[in-house]
């Protein structure tokens, strides 16, 4: 049975894979959680589709969690996106409150996973405030 690392070795070379294994060895078993806002579409989802299985094969306890939100939540984060692109954006208090409340709800749903993780990667503006809900979390 061909593994993911075998497939990568065909493209990148066996030396690269051995180097990855060497770098990953001290972190074997580390609990790593990736959090973003969509399971499909967009660059983050495309990357995580391959990255999480690769990390597992390298010995990490890797997970991928996706937050959820309603229309007001995504309208607020669309405003963030537009503002980051240089557009003037007015975000009403209700939208900002929806953003904060949605992250608080997602934090409760993901509490056990995020508090216990050794490493958490937040990939989008949508879940950016999640970790502030876990001041005593285990990892980084």
């Amino acid at each position: 049975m061909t593994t993911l690392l075998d497939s990568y070795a065909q493209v990148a070379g066996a030396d690269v894979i051995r180097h990855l294994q060497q770098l990953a060895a001290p972190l074997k078993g580390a609990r790593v959680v990736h959090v973003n806002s969509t399971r499909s579409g967009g660059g983050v989802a495309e990357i995580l589709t391959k990255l999480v299985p690769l990390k597992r094969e390298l010995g990490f306890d890797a997970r991928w969690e996706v937050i959820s939100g309603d229309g007001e939540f995504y309208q607020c984060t669309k405003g963030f996106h537009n503002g980051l692109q240089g557009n003037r954006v007015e975000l009403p208090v209700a939208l900002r409150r929806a953003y904060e409340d949605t992250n608080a709800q997602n934090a409760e749903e993901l509490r056990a996973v995020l508090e216990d993780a050794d490493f958490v990667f937040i990939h989008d503006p949508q879940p950016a405030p999640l970790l502030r809900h876990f001041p005593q979390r285990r990892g980084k």
Side-chain angles (χ1 to χ4, degrees):
M1 180 170 146
T2 302
T3 68
L4 186 56
L5 286 174
D6 293 334
S7 296
Y8 281 138
Q10 293 174 12
V11 176
D15 287 344
V16 171
I17 300 307
R18 279 193 294 278
H19 191 221
L20 281 175
Q21 291 168 323
Q22 179 185 16
L23 291 170
L27 296 169
K28 188 172 184 153
R31 285 175 269 188
V32 179
V33 181
H34 293 269
V35 183
N36 80 320
S37 60
T38 183
R39 183 83 51 199
S40 62
V44 172
E46 288 181 20
I47 290 167
L48 293 179
T49 298
K50 300 294 185 193
L51 182 62
V52 171
L54 176 64
K55 281 185 170 181
R56 288 179 182 154
E57 206 164 307
L58 288 168
F60 293 87
D61 178 3
R63 296 177 65 140
W64 174 11
E65 300 293 339
V66 177
I67 65 162
S68 60
D70 62 13
E72 283 188 319
F73 172 75
Y74 286 105
Q75 186 178 348
C76 182
T77 61
K78 177 77 169 168
F80 293 167
H81 178 79
N82 291 338
L84 288 169
Q85 290 186 335
N87 298 309
R88 182 167 174 79
V89 176
E90 300 275 337
L91 290 174
V93 171
L95 290 184
R96 295 192 315 262
R97 187 174 301 120
Y99 176 72
E100 293 294 337
D101 291 348
T102 300
N103 270 285
Q105 292 165 4
N106 279 282
E108 283 308 309
E109 291 173 22
L110 296 173
R111 179 169 295 285
V113 173
L114 297 180
E115 278 185 334
D116 248 8
D118 295 305
F119 304 97
V120 177
F121 292 88
I122 304 292
H123 289 279
D124 296 321
Q126 289 87 346
L130 273 181
L131 294 181
R132 89 167 117 205
H133 294 277
F134 310 108
Q136 303 302 317
R137 69 184 178 276
R138 170 189 167 133
K140 302 288 180 199

